[in-house]
Amino acid sequence: MRITAAVAREKESPFSVEELELESPRAGEVLVRVVATGMCHTDLICRDQWYPVPLPCVLGHEGAGVVEEVGEGVTKVEPGDRVVLTFASCGKCATCLRGRPSYCLNFFALNFGGARLDGSSPISADGASVHGHFFGQSSFATHALATERNVVKVPEEAPLEILGPLGCGVQTGAGAVLNTLHPEAGSSIVVFGTGAVGLSAVMAARVAGCTTIVGVDVRPGRLELARELGATHVVNGAETDAVKAVKEITGGGADFSLETTAVPAVLRQAIDALGPLGTCGVIGAARLGTEASFDMNDVLVPGKTIRGIVEGDSVPDVFIPRLVELHAQGRFPLDRLVRFYDLEGINEAARDAEEGAAVKPILRTSRG
């Protein structure tokens, strides 16, 4: 079928909106008419080749839409179902079988390989293959071909146009708090970086009952929004020694910290800002090969933990519906993060994301 899609053709170059061909679903695959898709930091760093995703490629991995067709053997969804698209996993390796799909042994190939595991891409332009299957979806398009494993059915009444970010950035931040750190009510947490992922963590910390929630950023507007979404304190890292400020706020160091910026110096702050037995979750996606340092004794003696977290340790079929319900109850105001663009405005959306003018750009391609 003919689709319209945004293609990343060259490193660090604008997206090109083009007419392409998309295959019909194979066994286990699901064709989704995309209503809207979020733009994530990962889309931009893959366009810029921080990760070696082959180009040209249709990116996009926070899609939400309506099922139009299913391949042989698919029973989880049927045409007409409303779904959120999330990351891909094989379902067969040791970590998938243990219920940890975000640590799938085939994660990199399935999500960053630009093709199915057999090397084929479902997308082409005038007979020439274009890399697709990005995160098992390539949803910067009017239609996406996903798999049964990475579609999550959501209620008919759910606001589909804002739900795409639940598939990656939002579940990453919220899941890091609710699925990984498991803060006790009354505990303290500091979130370094209050973009979409960090603000999702702030909202989740409020849901969890943290009574001291500190947001650290260098953009005053982001810090103001963090306060509105649940932060009890904010720190402008461009004006203040963030580690000193956090220790003063928490009375010696936070119980938990999250690093969302992928900046090594900020990771060091996130570790240093912890109190005894504190845990630092590392979320930010840095360029491959990026190294960071910390004081080994400052980790050893206070018993600190540094923990990498992928996709919020989420089992999407369980966690995404929970976030949808929290939003429906008014306890997770996801709509406060978003700004809408047409697919043809993707380069404006990318620019606004990089400059910090938009927290979570969402590209709308059709009506729900």
Side-chain angles (χ1 to χ4, degrees):
M1 66 179 296
R2 298 289 291 180
I3 66 170
T4 302
V7 184
R9 287 200 167 272
E10 296 182 4
K11 177 181 178 180
E12 299 177 347
S13 295
F15 292 96
S16 172
V17 179
E18 306 176 16
E19 296 293 315
L20 303 174
E21 293 285 342
L22 181 66
E23 292 180 2
S24 297
R26 296 182 180 181
E29 294 184 337
V30 179
L31 176 65
V32 177
R33 172 174 59 83
V34 178
V35 170
T37 185
M39 176 174 284
C40 179
H41 172 70
T42 303
D43 294 307
L44 300 179
I45 66 173
C46 288
R47 176 201 63 182
D48 296 343
Q49 297 290 277
W50 286 26
Y51 287 9
V53 174
L55 302 180
C57 186
V58 177
L59 303 175
H61 65 288
E62 292 184 342
V66 180
V67 174
E68 288 202 339
E69 186 180 352
V70 299
E72 181 183 355
V74 173
T75 59
K76 180 178 171 182
V77 294
E78 60 185 24
D81 284 344
R82 296 156 67 85
V83 294
V84 169
L85 310 183
T86 188
F87 62 90
S89 58
C90 74
K92 300 175 182 178
C93 68
T95 45
C96 283
L97 293 174
R98 290 166 56 198
R100 309 300 293 275
S102 61
Y103 302 99
C104 173
L105 297 182
N106 292 300
F107 189 91
F108 202 93
L110 285 168
N111 293 283
F112 297 102
R116 302 179 177 100
L117 285 181
D118 67 4
S120 66
S121 173
I123 304 173
S124 60
D126 298 324
S129 180
V130 175
H131 292 287
H133 211 65
F134 183 69
F135 275 71
Q137 55 181 283
S138 289
S139 55
F140 283 168
T142 54
H143 291 77
L145 200 58
T147 72
E148 184 172 29
R149 280 190 61 79
N150 72 310
V151 297
V152 178
K153 186 176 177 180
V154 296
E156 181 71 24
E157 67 276 9
L160 203 56
E161 67 177 6
I162 69 169
L163 296 186
L166 297 181
C168 185
V170 172
Q171 82 173 345
T172 294
V177 175
L178 299 174
N179 298 330
T180 307
L181 299 182
H182 299 292
E184 296 178 352
S187 60
S188 60
I189 185 169
V190 53
V191 179
F192 285 84
T194 53
V197 174
L199 290 171
S200 298
V202 167
M203 292 189 289
R206 187 177 187 180
V207 168
C210 294
T211 49
T212 303
I213 304 170
V214 186
V216 181
D217 208 303
V218 297
R219 296 186 177 97
R222 295 282 177 91
L223 293 174
E224 181 180 350
L225 183 55
R227 273 197 184 278
E228 294 172 5
L229 293 177
T232 59
H233 302 77
V234 295
V235 175
N236 189 323
E239 301 175 350
T240 306
D241 181 329
V243 174
K244 181 179 179 181
V246 170
K247 289 189 173 182
E248 289 176 352
I249 292 167
T250 58
D255 297 315
F256 303 97
S257 67
L258 284 174
E259 199 298 300
T260 74
T261 72
V263 177
V266 178
L267 172 58
R268 175 63 184 266
Q269 291 180 319
I271 297 167
D272 291 349
L274 290 171
L277 300 176
T279 299
C280 172
V282 183
I283 297 177
R287 190 185 298 270
L288 293 183
T290 300
E291 296 186 356
S293 63
F294 55 86
D295 184 330
M296 292 178 64
N297 284 308
D298 184 55
V299 172
L300 171 65
V301 177
K304 297 178 181 179
T305 299
I306 305 169
R307 167 76 151 79
I309 304 170
V310 177
E311 296 287 355
D313 279 354
S314 173
V315 178
D317 285 308
V318 175
F319 191 56
I320 288 176
R322 289 178 178 174
L323 293 178
V324 172
E325 181 59 26
L326 283 169
H327 176 267
Q329 293 181 13
R331 300 168 64 194
F332 197 86
L334 168 65
D335 48 290
R336 296 292 307 281
L337 308 184
V338 308
R339 179 182 292 182
F340 293 107
Y341 303 78
D342 293 331
L343 181 61
E344 290 73 15
I346 187 171
N347 291 308
E348 178 187 359
R351 185 167 54 252
D352 286 352
E354 292 174 314
E355 294 176 356
V359 176
K360 172 56 69 173
I362 292 182
L363 306 172
R364 289 191 285 205
T365 54
S366 68
R367 291 184 178 274

